[in-house]
Amino acid sequence: MRGISFWFFFSATLYVLVGMLWGIGMAATEDHSLFPAHAHLNLLGWVTMALFGVYYHLVPRKGAEGLAKVHFAVATGGLFLMVPGIVMALTNNGHLLASVGSVLSLISMILFSVTVYRDRQA
Ligand code: HEM
């Protein structure tokens, strides 16, 4: 695995390590109040980013395009805003960060959908 597929997949492993430690922390303290943030870190950070990485590994010509780097930046930015944003929302500190993060995450999925569509085979 190389290039953008490596970075998608490797960063996903880091997110799930943090997510698992967070889960263990929740279980140990019996404080599950932030579980939606943990769930989004794991599902957007691990599952989604790893799937992106697998796709670019399977279709390296798409991984070599500049759009793949833009996709990585937008997906990573969305995650980095959304997870703390959910924590802020859950602790009554406003929804702005979560809102911006969720829109970036949506844009990242639109970019991915366009990428997949443009590589369709006749
Ligand atoms: C060491 C690993 C993990 C631990 C100890 C852990 C622990 C927890 C705990 C304590 C909760 C709160 C449950 C509740 O209050 O209902 C939770 C929720 C959740 N976790 Fe994890 N987790 C781990 C890994 C993961 C991974 C890898 C994923 C996804 C790929 C994940 C996805 C979720 C989801 C979706 C929820 C919300 C479930 C619900 O709606 O009740 N977790 N986790």
Side-chain angles (χ1 to χ4, degrees):
M1 196 172 265
R2 59 171 64 187
I4 207 69
S5 54
F6 168 82
W7 288 109
F8 268 115
F9 213 82
F10 178 64
S11 61
T13 68
L14 300 182
Y15 302 139
V16 76
L17 285 172
V18 175
M20 285 177 158
L21 287 171
W22 193 344
I24 291 170
M26 287 194 300
T29 58
E30 297 184 18
D31 177 1
H32 297 183
S33 58
L34 298 179
F35 83 80
H38 153 88
H40 282 79
L41 176 60
N42 283 325
L43 293 173
L44 277 179
W46 166 231
V47 181
T48 308
M49 297 291 264
L51 282 173
F52 291 153
V54 168
Y55 172 80
Y56 287 118
H57 180 70
L58 290 173
V59 192
R61 61 185 167 272
K62 300 310 284 182
E65 288 180 358
L67 187 61
K69 291 192 178 70
V70 174
H71 177 213
F72 181 78
V74 174
T76 302
L79 184 71
F80 272 73
L81 294 183
M82 190 152 165
V83 174
I86 294 172
V87 171
M88 287 178 67
L90 291 169
T91 52
N92 297 317
N93 286 300
H95 290 88
L96 181 63
L97 213 57
S99 303
V100 177
S102 57
V103 170
L104 281 181
S105 296
L106 175 69
I107 292 170
S108 115
M109 194 55 79
I110 292 170
L111 291 177
F112 186 58
S113 181
V114 169
T115 297
V116 171
Y117 181 76
R118 284 170 56 190
D119 199 59
R120 71 193 179 283
Q121 309 281 315

